[in-house]
mmCIF file with all atom_site columns, all heavy atoms in Angstrom:
data_model
loop_
_atom_site.group_PDB
_atom_site.id
_atom_site.type_symbol
_atom_site.label_atom_id
_atom_site.label_alt_id
_atom_site.label_comp_id
_atom_site.label_asym_id
_atom_site.label_entity_id
_atom_site.label_seq_id
_atom_site.pdbx_PDB_ins_code
_atom_site.Cartn_x
_atom_site.Cartn_y
_atom_site.Cartn_z
_atom_site.occupancy
_atom_site.B_iso_or_equiv
_atom_site.pdbx_formal_charge
_atom_site.auth_seq_id
_atom_site.auth_comp_id
_atom_site.auth_asym_id
_atom_site.auth_atom_id
_atom_site.pdbx_PDB_model_num
ATOM 1   N N   . ILE A 1 312 ? 15.239 43.183 19.180 1.00 97.00 ? 440 ILE A N   1
ATOM 2   C CA  . ILE A 1 312 ? 16.193 42.254 18.580 1.00 97.00 ? 440 ILE A CA  1
ATOM 3   C C   . ILE A 1 312 ? 17.104 41.705 19.679 1.00 97.00 ? 440 ILE A C   1
ATOM 4   O O   . ILE A 1 312 ? 17.703 42.478 20.427 1.00 97.00 ? 440 ILE A O   1
ATOM 5   C CB  . ILE A 1 312 ? 17.033 42.949 17.504 1.00 97.00 ? 440 ILE A CB  1
ATOM 6   C CG1 . ILE A 1 312 ? 16.131 43.441 16.367 1.00 97.00 ? 440 ILE A CG1 1
ATOM 7   C CG2 . ILE A 1 312 ? 18.105 42.014 16.962 1.00 97.00 ? 440 ILE A CG2 1
ATOM 8   C CD1 . ILE A 1 312 ? 16.829 44.335 15.369 1.00 97.00 ? 440 ILE A CD1 1
ATOM 9   N N   . PRO A 1 313 ? 17.224 40.383 19.829 1.00 97.00 ? 441 PRO A N   1
ATOM 10  C CA  . PRO A 1 313 ? 18.065 39.817 20.891 1.00 97.00 ? 441 PRO A CA  1
ATOM 11  C C   . PRO A 1 313 ? 19.530 40.230 20.758 1.00 97.00 ? 441 PRO A C   1
ATOM 12  O O   . PRO A 1 313 ? 20.087 40.262 19.668 1.00 97.00 ? 441 PRO A O   1
ATOM 13  C CB  . PRO A 1 313 ? 17.898 38.304 20.704 1.00 97.00 ? 441 PRO A CB  1
ATOM 14  C CG  . PRO A 1 313 ? 16.593 38.145 19.991 1.00 97.00 ? 441 PRO A CG  1
ATOM 15  C CD  . PRO A 1 313 ? 16.493 39.339 19.088 1.00 97.00 ? 441 PRO A CD  1
ATOM 16  N N   . GLN A 1 314 ? 20.132 40.560 21.903 1.00 97.00 ? 442 GLN A N   1
ATOM 17  C CA  . GLN A 1 314 ? 21.545 40.903 21.981 1.00 97.00 ? 442 GLN A CA  1
ATOM 18  C C   . GLN A 1 314 ? 22.152 40.244 23.216 1.00 97.00 ? 442 GLN A C   1
ATOM 19  O O   . GLN A 1 314 ? 21.429 39.808 24.112 1.00 97.00 ? 442 GLN A O   1
ATOM 20  C CB  . GLN A 1 314 ? 21.737 42.422 22.135 1.00 97.00 ? 442 GLN A CB  1
ATOM 21  C CG  . GLN A 1 314 ? 21.138 43.287 21.058 1.00 97.00 ? 442 GLN A CG  1
ATOM 22  C CD  . GLN A 1 314 ? 21.361 44.761 21.362 1.00 97.00 ? 442 GLN A CD  1
ATOM 23  O OE1 . GLN A 1 314 ? 22.463 45.283 21.251 1.00 97.00 ? 442 GLN A OE1 1
ATOM 24  N NE2 . GLN A 1 314 ? 20.294 45.438 21.770 1.00 97.00 ? 442 GLN A NE2 1
ATOM 25  N N   . ARG A 1 315 ? 23.478 40.214 23.254 1.00 97.00 ? 443 ARG A N   1
ATOM 26  C CA  . ARG A 1 315 ? 24.150 39.763 24.471 1.00 97.00 ? 443 ARG A CA  1
ATOM 27  C C   . ARG A 1 315 ? 23.812 40.741 25.591 1.00 97.00 ? 443 ARG A C   1
ATOM 28  O O   . ARG A 1 315 ? 23.769 41.956 25.382 1.00 97.00 ? 443 ARG A O   1
ATOM 29  C CB  . ARG A 1 315 ? 25.661 39.739 24.241 1.00 97.00 ? 443 ARG A CB  1
ATOM 30  C CG  . ARG A 1 315 ? 26.491 39.259 25.420 1.00 97.00 ? 443 ARG A CG  1
ATOM 31  C CD  . ARG A 1 315 ? 27.968 39.311 25.054 1.00 97.00 ? 443 ARG A CD  1
ATOM 32  N NE  . ARG A 1 315 ? 28.818 38.782 26.105 1.00 97.00 ? 443 ARG A NE  1
ATOM 33  C CZ  . ARG A 1 315 ? 29.251 39.481 27.142 1.00 97.00 ? 443 ARG A CZ  1
ATOM 34  N NH1 . ARG A 1 315 ? 28.891 40.748 27.275 1.00 97.00 ? 443 ARG A NH1 1
ATOM 35  N NH2 . ARG A 1 315 ? 30.041 38.935 28.051 1.00 97.00 ? 443 ARG A NH2 1
ATOM 36  N N   . ALA A 1 316 ? 23.560 40.208 26.786 1.00 98.00 ? 444 ALA A N   1
ATOM 37  C CA  . ALA A 1 316 ? 23.184 41.044 27.931 1.00 98.00 ? 444 ALA A CA  1
ATOM 38  C C   . ALA A 1 316 ? 24.036 40.683 29.136 1.00 98.00 ? 444 ALA A C   1
ATOM 39  O O   . ALA A 1 316 ? 24.352 39.510 29.357 1.00 98.00 ? 444 ALA A O   1
ATOM 40  C CB  . ALA A 1 316 ? 21.707 40.851 28.258 1.00 98.00 ? 444 ALA A CB  1
ATOM 41  N N   . GLU A 1 317 ? 24.405 41.682 29.907 1.00 98.00 ? 445 GLU A N   1
ATOM 42  C CA  . GLU A 1 317 ? 25.245 41.441 31.081 1.00 98.00 ? 445 GLU A CA  1
ATOM 43  C C   . GLU A 1 317 ? 24.945 42.482 32.155 1.00 98.00 ? 445 GLU A C   1
ATOM 44  O O   . GLU A 1 317 ? 24.731 43.657 31.860 1.00 98.00 ? 445 GLU A O   1
ATOM 45  C CB  . GLU A 1 317 ? 26.723 41.531 30.686 1.00 98.00 ? 445 GLU A CB  1
ATOM 46  C CG  . GLU A 1 317 ? 27.693 41.309 31.830 1.00 98.00 ? 445 GLU A CG  1
ATOM 47  C CD  . GLU A 1 317 ? 29.151 41.294 31.398 1.00 98.00 ? 445 GLU A CD  1
ATOM 48  O OE1 . GLU A 1 317 ? 29.403 41.398 30.173 1.00 98.00 ? 445 GLU A OE1 1
ATOM 49  O OE2 . GLU A 1 317 ? 30.019 41.178 32.266 1.00 98.00 ? 445 GLU A OE2 1
ATOM 50  N N   . VAL A 1 318 ? 24.903 42.032 33.410 1.00 98.00 ? 446 VAL A N   1
ATOM 51  C CA  . VAL A 1 318 ? 24.835 42.951 34.541 1.00 98.00 ? 446 VAL A CA  1
ATOM 52  C C   . VAL A 1 318 ? 26.105 42.768 35.367 1.00 98.00 ? 446 VAL A C   1
ATOM 53  O O   . VAL A 1 318 ? 26.560 41.643 35.590 1.00 98.00 ? 446 VAL A O   1
ATOM 54  C CB  . VAL A 1 318 ? 23.571 42.724 35.411 1.00 98.00 ? 446 VAL A CB  1
ATOM 55  C CG1 . VAL A 1 318 ? 23.517 41.308 35.990 1.00 98.00 ? 446 VAL A CG1 1
ATOM 56  C CG2 . VAL A 1 318 ? 23.495 43.756 36.527 1.00 98.00 ? 446 VAL A CG2 1
ATOM 57  N N   . ARG A 1 319 ? 26.706 43.880 35.754 1.00 97.00 ? 447 ARG A N   1
ATOM 58  C CA  . ARG A 1 319 ? 27.904 43.862 36.599 1.00 97.00 ? 447 ARG A CA  1
ATOM 59  C C   . ARG A 1 319 ? 27.618 44.660 37.866 1.00 97.00 ? 447 ARG A C   1
ATOM 60  O O   . ARG A 1 319 ? 27.000 45.729 37.808 1.00 97.00 ? 447 ARG A O   1
ATOM 61  C CB  . ARG A 1 319 ? 29.098 44.469 35.862 1.00 97.00 ? 447 ARG A CB  1
ATOM 62  C CG  . ARG A 1 319 ? 29.508 43.712 34.615 1.00 97.00 ? 447 ARG A CG  1
ATOM 63  C CD  . ARG A 1 319 ? 30.731 44.345 33.975 1.00 97.00 ? 447 ARG A CD  1
ATOM 64  N NE  . ARG A 1 319 ? 31.091 43.671 32.731 1.00 97.00 ? 447 ARG A NE  1
ATOM 65  C CZ  . ARG A 1 319 ? 32.138 44.024 31.978 1.00 97.00 ? 447 ARG A CZ  1
ATOM 66  N NH1 . ARG A 1 319 ? 32.923 45.029 32.360 1.00 97.00 ? 447 ARG A NH1 1
ATOM 67  N NH2 . ARG A 1 319 ? 32.398 43.371 30.859 1.00 97.00 ? 447 ARG A NH2 1
ATOM 68  N N   . PHE A 1 320 ? 28.106 44.166 38.989 1.00 96.00 ? 448 PHE A N   1
ATOM 69  C CA  . PHE A 1 320 ? 27.838 44.803 40.272 1.00 96.00 ? 448 PHE A CA  1
ATOM 70  C C   . PHE A 1 320 ? 29.065 45.538 40.793 1.00 96.00 ? 448 PHE A C   1
ATOM 71  O O   . PHE A 1 320 ? 30.208 45.115 40.577 1.00 96.00 ? 448 PHE A O   1
ATOM 72  C CB  . PHE A 1 320 ? 27.343 43.766 41.281 1.00 96.00 ? 448 PHE A CB  1
ATOM 73  C CG  . PHE A 1 320 ? 26.030 43.181 40.886 1.00 96.00 ? 448 PHE A CG  1
ATOM 74  C CD1 . PHE A 1 320 ? 25.959 41.975 40.197 1.00 96.00 ? 448 PHE A CD1 1
ATOM 75  C CD2 . PHE A 1 320 ? 24.851 43.870 41.135 1.00 96.00 ? 448 PHE A CD2 1
ATOM 76  C CE1 . PHE A 1 320 ? 24.748 41.462 39.785 1.00 96.00 ? 448 PHE A CE1 1
ATOM 77  C CE2 . PHE A 1 320 ? 23.636 43.366 40.716 1.00 96.00 ? 448 PHE A CE2 1
ATOM 78  C CZ  . PHE A 1 320 ? 23.574 42.158 40.044 1.00 96.00 ? 448 PHE A CZ  1
ATOM 79  N N   . ILE A 1 321 ? 28.804 46.630 41.495 1.00 96.00 ? 449 ILE A N   1
ATOM 80  C CA  . ILE A 1 321 ? 29.863 47.490 42.026 1.00 96.00 ? 449 ILE A CA  1
ATOM 81  C C   . ILE A 1 321 ? 30.204 47.039 43.441 1.00 96.00 ? 449 ILE A C   1
ATOM 82  O O   . ILE A 1 321 ? 29.373 47.121 44.353 1.00 96.00 ? 449 ILE A O   1
ATOM 83  C CB  . ILE A 1 321 ? 29.422 48.968 42.034 1.00 96.00 ? 449 ILE A CB  1
ATOM 84  C CG1 . ILE A 1 321 ? 28.930 49.410 40.656 1.00 96.00 ? 449 ILE A CG1 1
ATOM 85  C CG2 . ILE A 1 321 ? 30.562 49.858 42.530 1.00 96.00 ? 449 ILE A CG2 1
ATOM 86  C CD1 . ILE A 1 321 ? 29.961 49.420 39.580 1.00 96.00 ? 449 ILE A CD1 1
ATOM 87  N N   . PHE A 1 322 ? 31.439 46.561 43.606 1.00 94.00 ? 450 PHE A N   1
ATOM 88  C CA  . PHE A 1 322 ? 31.929 46.151 44.919 1.00 94.00 ? 450 PHE A CA  1
ATOM 89  C C   . PHE A 1 322 ? 32.902 47.179 45.512 1.00 94.00 ? 450 PHE A C   1
ATOM 90  O O   . PHE A 1 322 ? 33.149 47.164 46.708 1.00 94.00 ? 450 PHE A O   1
ATOM 91  C CB  . PHE A 1 322 ? 32.644 44.805 44.824 1.00 94.00 ? 450 PHE A CB  1
ATOM 92  C CG  . PHE A 1 322 ? 31.719 43.620 44.766 1.00 94.00 ? 450 PHE A CG  1
ATOM 93  C CD1 . PHE A 1 322 ? 30.873 43.424 43.688 1.00 94.00 ? 450 PHE A CD1 1
ATOM 94  C CD2 . PHE A 1 322 ? 31.692 42.689 45.795 1.00 94.00 ? 450 PHE A CD2 1
ATOM 95  C CE1 . PHE A 1 322 ? 30.030 42.337 43.633 1.00 94.00 ? 450 PHE A CE1 1
ATOM 96  C CE2 . PHE A 1 322 ? 30.851 41.592 45.755 1.00 94.00 ? 450 PHE A CE2 1
ATOM 97  C CZ  . PHE A 1 322 ? 30.004 41.414 44.662 1.00 94.00 ? 450 PHE A CZ  1
ATOM 98  N N   . GLY A 1 323 ? 33.499 48.024 44.653 1.00 92.00 ? 451 GLY A N   1
ATOM 99  C CA  . GLY A 1 323 ? 34.481 48.982 45.125 1.00 92.00 ? 451 GLY A CA  1
ATOM 100 C C   . GLY A 1 323 ? 34.905 49.934 44.029 1.00 92.00 ? 451 GLY A C   1
ATOM 101 O O   . GLY A 1 323 ? 34.318 49.980 42.939 1.00 92.00 ? 451 GLY A O   1
ATOM 102 N N   . GLU A 1 324 ? 35.960 50.708 44.298 1.00 93.00 ? 452 GLU A N   1
ATOM 103 C CA  . GLU A 1 324 ? 36.428 51.748 43.382 1.00 93.00 ? 452 GLU A CA  1
ATOM 104 C C   . GLU A 1 324 ? 36.862 51.196 42.025 1.00 93.00 ? 452 GLU A C   1
ATOM 105 O O   . GLU A 1 324 ? 36.646 51.819 40.991 1.00 93.00 ? 452 GLU A O   1
ATOM 106 C CB  . GLU A 1 324 ? 37.586 52.516 44.029 1.00 93.00 ? 452 GLU A CB  1
ATOM 107 C CG  . GLU A 1 324 ? 37.184 53.351 45.230 1.00 93.00 ? 452 GLU A CG  1
ATOM 108 C CD  . GLU A 1 324 ? 36.341 54.560 44.860 1.00 93.00 ? 452 GLU A CD  1
ATOM 109 O OE1 . GLU A 1 324 ? 36.235 54.867 43.656 1.00 93.00 ? 452 GLU A OE1 1
ATOM 110 O OE2 . GLU A 1 324 ? 35.775 55.175 45.780 1.00 93.00 ? 452 GLU A OE2 1
ATOM 111 N N   . GLU A 1 325 ? 37.487 50.008 42.013 1.00 94.00 ? 453 GLU A N   1
ATOM 112 C CA  . GLU A 1 325 ? 37.950 49.442 40.746 1.00 94.00 ? 453 GLU A CA  1
ATOM 113 C C   . GLU A 1 325 ? 36.785 49.136 39.813 1.00 94.00 ? 453 GLU A C   1
ATOM 114 O O   . GLU A 1 325 ? 36.860 49.372 38.599 1.00 94.00 ? 453 GLU A O   1
ATOM 115 C CB  . GLU A 1 325 ? 38.780 48.176 40.998 1.00 94.00 ? 453 GLU A CB  1
ATOM 116 C CG  . GLU A 1 325 ? 40.138 48.428 41.610 1.00 94.00 ? 453 GLU A CG  1
ATOM 117 C CD  . GLU A 1 325 ? 40.993 49.362 40.759 1.00 94.00 ? 453 GLU A CD  1
ATOM 118 O OE1 . GLU A 1 325 ? 41.066 49.146 39.530 1.00 94.00 ? 453 GLU A OE1 1
ATOM 119 O OE2 . GLU A 1 325 ? 41.552 50.318 41.314 1.00 94.00 ? 453 GLU A OE2 1
ATOM 120 N N   . ASP A 1 326 ? 35.712 48.613 40.374 1.00 96.00 ? 454 ASP A N   1
ATOM 121 C CA  . ASP A 1 326 ? 34.522 48.337 39.558 1.00 96.00 ? 454 ASP A CA  1
ATOM 122 C C   . ASP A 1 326 ? 33.923 49.636 39.019 1.00 96.00 ? 454 ASP A C   1
ATOM 123 O O   . ASP A 1 326 ? 33.458 49.688 37.877 1.00 96.00 ? 454 ASP A O   1
ATOM 124 C CB  . ASP A 1 326 ? 33.465 47.597 40.386 1.00 96.00 ? 454 ASP A CB  1
ATOM 125 C CG  . ASP A 1 326 ? 33.947 46.245 40.868 1.00 96.00 ? 454 ASP A CG  1
ATOM 126 O OD1 . ASP A 1 326 ? 34.737 45.615 40.146 1.00 96.00 ? 454 ASP A OD1 1
ATOM 127 O OD2 . ASP A 1 326 ? 33.528 45.818 41.954 1.00 96.00 ? 454 ASP A OD2 1
ATOM 128 N N   . LEU A 1 327 ? 33.940 50.674 39.837 1.00 95.00 ? 455 LEU A N   1
ATOM 129 C CA  . LEU A 1 327 ? 33.411 51.966 39.421 1.00 95.00 ? 455 LEU A CA  1
ATOM 130 C C   . LEU A 1 327 ? 34.238 52.553 38.276 1.00 95.00 ? 455 LEU A C   1
ATOM 131 O O   . LEU A 1 327 ? 33.691 53.085 37.301 1.00 95.00 ? 455 LEU A O   1
ATOM 132 C CB  . LEU A 1 327 ? 33.392 52.921 40.608 1.00 95.00 ? 455 LEU A CB  1
ATOM 133 C CG  . LEU A 1 327 ? 32.488 54.150 40.512 1.00 95.00 ? 455 LEU A CG  1
ATOM 134 C CD1 . LEU A 1 327 ? 31.047 53.750 40.227 1.00 95.00 ? 455 LEU A CD1 1
ATOM 135 C CD2 . LEU A 1 327 ? 32.581 54.964 41.794 1.00 95.00 ? 455 LEU A CD2 1
ATOM 136 N N   . LYS A 1 328 ? 35.555 52.411 38.378 1.00 96.00 ? 456 LYS A N   1
ATOM 137 C CA  . LYS A 1 328 ? 36.438 52.899 37.308 1.00 96.00 ? 456 LYS A CA  1
ATOM 138 C C   . LYS A 1 328 ? 36.193 52.145 35.999 1.00 96.00 ? 456 LYS A C   1
ATOM 139 O O   . LYS A 1 328 ? 36.201 52.734 34.916 1.00 96.00 ? 456 LYS A O   1
ATOM 140 C CB  . LYS A 1 328 ? 37.900 52.748 37.738 1.00 96.00 ? 456 LYS A CB  1
ATOM 141 C CG  . LYS A 1 328 ? 38.333 53.721 38.826 1.00 96.00 ? 456 LYS A CG  1
ATOM 142 C CD  . LYS A 1 328 ? 39.769 53.443 39.252 1.00 96.00 ? 456 LYS A CD  1
ATOM 143 C CE  . LYS A 1 328 ? 40.190 54.352 40.391 1.00 96.00 ? 456 LYS A CE  1
ATOM 144 N NZ  . LYS A 1 328 ? 41.557 54.013 40.888 1.00 96.00 ? 456 LYS A NZ  1
ATOM 145 N N   . GLU A 1 329 ? 35.979 50.825 36.101 1.00 97.00 ? 457 GLU A N   1
ATOM 146 C CA  . GLU A 1 329 ? 35.703 50.029 34.909 1.00 97.00 ? 457 GLU A CA  1
ATOM 147 C C   . GLU A 1 329 ? 34.402 50.483 34.241 1.00 97.00 ? 457 GLU A C   1
ATOM 148 O O   . GLU A 1 329 ? 34.322 50.595 33.013 1.00 97.00 ? 457 GLU A O   1
ATOM 149 C CB  . GLU A 1 329 ? 35.614 48.550 35.288 1.00 97.00 ? 457 GLU A CB  1
ATOM 150 C CG  . GLU A 1 329 ? 35.257 47.612 34.144 1.00 97.00 ? 457 GLU A CG  1
ATOM 151 C CD  . GLU A 1 329 ? 36.345 47.510 33.087 1.00 97.00 ? 457 GLU A CD  1
ATOM 152 O OE1 . GLU A 1 329 ? 37.503 47.913 33.342 1.00 97.00 ? 457 GLU A OE1 1
ATOM 153 O OE2 . GLU A 1 329 ? 36.027 47.031 31.977 1.00 97.00 ? 457 GLU A OE2 1
ATOM 154 N N   . MET A 1 330 ? 33.385 50.766 35.053 1.00 97.00 ? 458 MET A N   1
ATOM 155 C CA  . MET A 1 330 ? 32.124 51.239 34.508 1.00 97.00 ? 458 MET A CA  1
ATOM 156 C C   . MET A 1 330 ? 32.301 52.576 33.794 1.00 97.00 ? 458 MET A C   1
ATOM 157 O O   . MET A 1 330 ? 31.788 52.782 32.685 1.00 97.00 ? 458 MET A O   1
ATOM 158 C CB  . MET A 1 330 ? 31.086 51.387 35.618 1.00 97.00 ? 458 MET A CB  1
ATOM 159 C CG  . MET A 1 330 ? 29.709 51.823 35.125 1.00 97.00 ? 458 MET A CG  1
ATOM 160 S SD  . MET A 1 330 ? 28.596 52.313 36.461 1.00 97.00 ? 458 MET A SD  1
ATOM 161 C CE  . MET A 1 330 ? 29.243 53.965 36.817 1.00 97.00 ? 458 MET A CE  1
ATOM 162 N N   . GLU A 1 331 ? 33.040 53.502 34.401 1.00 97.00 ? 459 GLU A N   1
ATOM 163 C CA  . GLU A 1 331 ? 33.260 54.819 33.800 1.00 97.00 ? 459 GLU A CA  1
ATOM 164 C C   . GLU A 1 331 ? 34.062 54.709 32.502 1.00 97.00 ? 459 GLU A C   1
ATOM 165 O O   . GLU A 1 331 ? 33.835 55.461 31.552 1.00 97.00 ? 459 GLU A O   1
ATOM 166 C CB  . GLU A 1 331 ? 33.964 55.745 34.795 1.00 97.00 ? 459 GLU A CB  1
ATOM 167 C CG  . GLU A 1 331 ? 33.137 56.098 36.022 1.00 97.00 ? 459 GLU A CG  1
ATOM 168 C CD  . GLU A 1 331 ? 31.848 56.832 35.674 1.00 97.00 ? 459 GLU A CD  1
ATOM 169 O OE1 . GLU A 1 331 ? 31.699 57.309 34.533 1.00 97.00 ? 459 GLU A OE1 1
ATOM 170 O OE2 . GLU A 1 331 ? 30.965 56.906 36.547 1.00 97.00 ? 459 GLU A OE2 1
ATOM 171 N N   . LYS A 1 332 ? 34.994 53.764 32.456 1.00 97.00 ? 460 LYS A N   1
ATOM 172 C CA  . LYS A 1 332 ? 35.775 53.550 31.232 1.00 97.00 ? 460 LYS A CA  1
ATOM 173 C C   . LYS A 1 332 ? 34.860 53.087 30.096 1.00 97.00 ? 460 LYS A C   1
ATOM 174 O O   . LYS A 1 332 ? 34.956 53.579 28.960 1.00 97.00 ? 460 LYS A O   1
ATOM 175 C CB  . LYS A 1 332 ? 36.866 52.510 31.492 1.00 97.00 ? 460 LYS A CB  1
ATOM 176 C CG  . LYS A 1 332 ? 37.751 52.226 30.283 1.00 97.00 ? 460 LYS A CG  1
ATOM 177 C CD  . LYS A 1 332 ? 38.795 51.172 30.610 1.00 97.00 ? 460 LYS A CD  1
ATOM 178 C CE  . LYS A 1 332 ? 39.642 50.864 29.367 1.00 97.00 ? 460 LYS A CE  1
ATOM 179 N NZ  . LYS A 1 332 ? 40.625 49.784 29.620 1.00 97.00 ? 460 LYS A NZ  1
ATOM 180 N N   . ILE A 1 333 ? 33.959 52.143 30.396 1.00 97.00 ? 461 ILE A N   1
ATOM 181 C CA  . ILE A 1 333 ? 33.022 51.661 29.372 1.00 97.00 ? 461 ILE A CA  1
ATOM 182 C C   . ILE A 1 333 ? 32.094 52.786 28.934 1.00 97.00 ? 461 ILE A C   1
ATOM 183 O O   . ILE A 1 333 ? 31.822 52.959 27.740 1.00 97.00 ? 461 ILE A O   1
ATOM 184 C CB  . ILE A 1 333 ? 32.214 50.461 29.904 1.00 97.00 ? 461 ILE A CB  1
ATOM 185 C CG1 . ILE A 1 333 ? 33.137 49.271 30.153 1.00 97.00 ? 461 ILE A CG1 1
ATOM 186 C CG2 . ILE A 1 333 ? 31.110 50.074 28.920 1.00 97.00 ? 461 ILE A CG2 1
ATOM 187 C CD1 . ILE A 1 333 ? 32.472 48.112 30.870 1.00 97.00 ? 461 ILE A CD1 1
ATOM 188 N N   . ARG A 1 334 ? 31.623 53.560 29.893 1.00 96.00 ? 462 ARG A N   1
ATOM 189 C CA  . ARG A 1 334 ? 30.697 54.659 29.562 1.00 96.00 ? 462 ARG A CA  1
ATOM 190 C C   . ARG A 1 334 ? 31.375 55.688 28.646 1.00 96.00 ? 462 ARG A C   1
ATOM 191 O O   . ARG A 1 334 ? 30.734 56.253 27.764 1.00 96.00 ? 462 ARG A O   1
ATOM 192 C CB  . ARG A 1 334 ? 30.197 55.331 30.839 1.00 96.00 ? 462 ARG A CB  1
ATOM 193 C CG  . ARG A 1 334 ? 29.228 56.464 30.564 1.00 96.00 ? 462 ARG A CG  1
ATOM 194 C CD  . ARG A 1 334 ? 28.230 56.697 31.668 1.00 96.00 ? 462 ARG A CD  1
ATOM 195 N NE  . ARG A 1 334 ? 28.852 57.064 32.924 1.00 96.00 ? 462 ARG A NE  1
ATOM 196 C CZ  . ARG A 1 334 ? 28.165 57.442 34.003 1.00 96.00 ? 462 ARG A CZ  1
ATOM 197 N NH1 . ARG A 1 334 ? 26.837 57.468 33.952 1.00 96.00 ? 462 ARG A NH1 1
ATOM 198 N NH2 . ARG A 1 334 ? 28.775 57.753 35.123 1.00 96.00 ? 462 ARG A NH2 1
ATOM 199 N N   . ALA A 1 335 ? 32.684 55.897 28.850 1.00 97.00 ? 463 ALA A N   1
ATOM 200 C CA  . ALA A 1 335 ? 33.415 56.860 28.028 1.00 97.00 ? 463 ALA A CA  1
ATOM 201 C C   . ALA A 1 335 ? 33.755 56.301 26.645 1.00 97.00 ? 463 ALA A C   1
ATOM 202 O O   . ALA A 1 335 ? 33.647 57.003 25.630 1.00 97.00 ? 463 ALA A O   1
ATOM 203 C CB  . ALA A 1 335 ? 34.693 57.288 28.741 1.00 97.00 ? 463 ALA A CB  1
#
Side-chain angles (χ1 to χ4, degrees):
I440 298 171
Q442 303 178 73
R443 181 181 184 275
E445 180 175 357
V446 60
R447 297 182 183 181
F448 295 96
I449 307 295
F450 281 65
E452 292 290 349
E453 289 302 313
D454 298 328
L455 199 56
K456 289 176 183 175
E457 177 68 16
M458 183 192 78
E459 294 299 346
K460 181 181 178 183
I461 295 171
R462 181 152 62 173

